[in-house]
Amino acid sequence: MKRTADVRDLEVMDRLIRDEIEEALGPFRAGDSEKRLRGRIAQGPEPVRSKRFLERAAVPALLAAAAGAVVLMVVTRPSVPRPVDLADIVEVLGRFSTLARPAAEPSAATDLAAGRPEATAGLEKALAIAAWLKDEDERKAPLRESLGEVPSYSMEERMRILFKDKIIERALEIVKEKSKEA
Amino acid sequence: MPTDEEARLFEDMMACREVIFRICLGFTRNPADAEDLCQDVYLKAYGRLAGLRQPSSVKEWLYRVARTTCLDHAKRRRVLRLFESSGRPEAALDPRTPEASALTKERLSLLKAAISRLPEKQREVFILREYGRLSYEELGRAVGAKAGTVMSRLNRARAAVARWIKEGGT
């Protein structure tokens, strides 16, 4: 493709531009644009800086608002469902001493005295809490496994797991005995 | 209230009104719009006059303000131009004969089309030089490039525009 132009073509172009400028400059020179400009300036300069500040601040402010909304959503979102309230836990812990005793001990007599429905309700609550605690551990387990490492538990965590297993085991034994008695 | 120094600088700027108007005309291709844009340039420059670091180069600074103002205006107009049916350089018609007027009108349309087809960097150099009559040094400082670079851009732009006019926009 030809990248140069003939001198005559350039002259035609220059003449066109010159004519356009001259035609436009006539009214510009004759008009009162200078007077109007001085009048506008005499009224005071336009608040260029404040406008620019607002323009600059608009985008960061929108980004900050969006980030804040996301943070609020994350913070206010319920993290883990709580099927058992604190009163139930206290009640079950209180009953644990009873559950930990052998079945042949006077607890059976106490249960019989108190009535079977109450003991069954306590067992059901203990089972529910144990199941919830186990579900919670199972929810945590995949996160640890996803890291590609063997989960390592502290002594306290191991004791907690054993403690829960013992509760379930003991509760199942009691249920089994009760069903035999029935 | 402007200081004496600011008032003197403003009068220096006012001496360049025709240059600024021509630059605005090159960007807008319409005398009425060019006059409005020229006022915008001066109002913007006056508002920032206190922040001028080198009062000795107030004219070159004014050219840079004019360039950025015109480029901003062109960006705003870009969408609106899509809906305009034809060019508007009718103010520069030759009033001598109807034939000459029609020919000039046609060529001015070609000129407008040729300038609008230029790449942005070539277009701004072309307008600042051909309409504003800036020197190569002033041109380089206005667009932030070396004089050799702007000469190269200008030569390519001039050749492209002249060829477009000669070939009738084909």
Side-chain angles (χ1 to χ4, degrees):
Chain A
M1 187 175 181
K2 190 179 177 185
R3 299 189 69 82
T4 58
D6 294 336
V7 175
R8 207 165 62 181
D9 298 336
L10 292 171
E11 285 176 356
V12 169
M13 179 192 72
D14 288 339
R15 193 166 56 248
L16 271 174
I17 293 172
R18 192 170 58 245
D19 290 347
E20 183 186 3
I21 290 172
E22 287 304 318
E23 286 291 332
L25 270 178
F28 178 74
R29 286 169 179 157
D32 60 345
S33 65
E34 182 177 354
K35 188 179 173 184
R36 283 192 293 120
L37 176 60
R38 288 184 185 277
R40 288 176 71 180
I41 286 175
Q43 291 173 358
E46 293 181 348
V48 177
R49 282 179 188 154
S50 60
K51 186 180 176 185
R52 286 177 63 84
F53 172 76
L54 288 175
E55 286 172 353
R56 283 179 191 168
V59 174
L62 282 174
L63 288 175
V70 169
V71 169
L72 276 175
M73 284 174 63
V74 170
V75 168
T76 56
R77 190 181 61 184
S79 58
V80 179
R82 300 298 297 259
V84 180
D85 60 7
L86 188 62
D88 291 336
I89 294 173
V90 170
E91 182 185 356
V92 169
L93 288 176
R95 286 178 176 273
F96 177 70
S97 57
T98 308
L99 292 173
R101 273 178 289 177
E105 286 186 356
S107 65
T110 309
D111 285 346
L112 287 172
R116 193 166 176 276
E118 188 182 348
T120 306
L123 283 172
E124 285 172 358
K125 282 190 178 179
L127 284 171
I129 291 171
W132 175 73
L133 291 170
K134 196 157 189 169
D135 288 344
E136 193 180 31
D137 284 343
E138 283 172 358
R139 275 197 297 274
K140 290 177 182 174
L143 291 176
R144 291 174 184 147
E145 286 169 6
S146 66
L147 297 175
E149 296 174 1
V150 177
S152 60
Y153 295 109
S154 65
M155 184 59 73
E156 185 181 352
E157 287 172 328
R158 287 178 194 169
M159 292 308 294
R160 279 192 67 210
I161 293 168
L162 282 173
F163 182 70
K164 282 181 279 185
D165 286 344
K166 281 291 177 188
I167 291 177
I168 295 168
E169 187 182 351
R170 189 64 183 153
L172 288 173
E173 281 177 11
I174 294 171
V175 170
K176 190 178 174 184
E177 287 168 7
K178 295 287 181 188
S179 63
K180 279 181 182 176
E181 287 173 8
Chain B
M1 190 69 181
T3 63
D4 292 344
E5 175 71 5
E6 286 176 358
R8 188 185 62 77
L9 289 173
F10 180 69
E11 292 306 321
D12 288 348
M13 290 197 306
M14 288 298 280
C16 307
R17 274 183 66 247
E18 285 195 8
V19 177
I20 300 301
F21 173 77
R22 292 200 304 263
I23 291 172
C24 295
L25 178 67
F27 278 100
T28 62
R29 317 311 317 285
N30 178 270
D33 289 348
E35 194 170 328
D36 291 342
L37 197 54
C38 182
Q39 296 227 350
D40 289 345
V41 169
Y42 273 93
L43 288 172
K44 186 185 280 188
Y46 184 75
R48 298 176 181 175
L49 199 55
L52 179 61
R53 293 178 183 175
Q54 293 180 323
S56 59
S57 57
V58 65
K59 287 184 182 176
E60 290 170 3
W61 174 75
L62 182 63
Y63 297 153
R64 286 199 296 274
V65 173
R67 170 182 169 261
T68 53
T69 306
C70 290
L71 289 176
D72 288 346
H73 178 265
K75 283 178 189 171
R76 286 197 300 270
R77 291 277 302 169
R78 196 165 293 159
V79 177
L80 295 175
R81 277 177 186 162
L82 294 174
F83 300 99
E84 289 180 354
S85 57
S86 61
R88 293 195 297 173
E90 294 84 359
L93 298 182
D94 188 342
R96 286 172 292 186
T97 64
E99 293 79 12
S101 177
L103 184 63
T104 305
K105 185 178 179 180
E106 184 185 342
R107 285 184 169 176
L108 282 173
S109 295
L110 287 173
L111 176 64
K112 177 188 177 181
I115 293 173
S116 66
R117 285 171 56 88
L118 290 174
E120 187 172 325
K121 288 185 176 179
Q122 288 185 26
R123 185 166 63 240
E124 67 175 4
V125 167
F126 181 86
I127 291 170
L128 289 170
R129 172 67 180 176
E130 301 300 327
Y131 284 81
R133 303 290 181 197
L134 269 59
S135 69
Y136 290 121
E137 288 75 19
E138 290 172 333
L139 205 50
R141 283 191 282 270
V143 302
K146 293 179 180 175
T149 305
V150 296
M151 285 172 70
S152 171
R153 287 179 193 166
L154 182 63
N155 284 335
R156 284 201 293 270
R158 279 174 57 84
V161 172
R163 197 168 53 246
W164 183 265
I165 293 170
K166 180 188 178 185
E167 294 170 358
T170 56

